[in-house]
Amino acid sequence: EGVFTQDASGAWTRHDTVVKLVPWEVWAVDEPESFAALEAVVLARDAIVVNPAYAAVLQSKALLAEAWARHPRHALLLE
């Protein structure tokens, strides 16, 4: 029913927005249970993730290699 944290006194706080600093692909491989739990929260629209999973595609180095292959020597790409 959302994303919660517990403080030292044992009280729980619900968070509507989550900022994720770990890359999606690392998290999905290293922590599949927590990844699946966050996926369920996001799909239920109980929280918003600031860096959505589709960003992993745009951050992929394989995508950059493909862009270079299709547009060699483009001014906005490095070899």
Side-chain angles (χ1 to χ4, degrees):
E1 296 180 14
V3 176
F4 295 83
T5 56
Q6 188 175 23
D7 64 21
S9 70
W12 290 91
T13 302
R14 183 177 192 273
H15 302 281
D16 296 324
T17 304
V18 177
V19 177
K20 176 197 67 57
L21 300 176
V22 177
W24 283 106
E25 56 275 15
V26 171
W27 194 12
V29 171
D30 292 347
E31 305 255 352
E33 296 84 13
S34 66
F35 184 82
L38 182 60
E39 178 185 31
V41 167
V42 170
L43 290 175
R45 297 182 186 263
D46 288 330
I48 297 169
V49 176
V50 176
N51 184 6
Y54 64 78
V57 173
L58 300 176
Q59 297 165 358
S60 170
K61 289 178 181 54
L63 181 65
L64 292 174
E66 180 64 26
W68 180 261
R70 291 178 184 222
H71 307 285
R73 307 205 193 318
H74 189 281
L76 296 176
L77 296 171
L78 295 174
E79 185 172 6

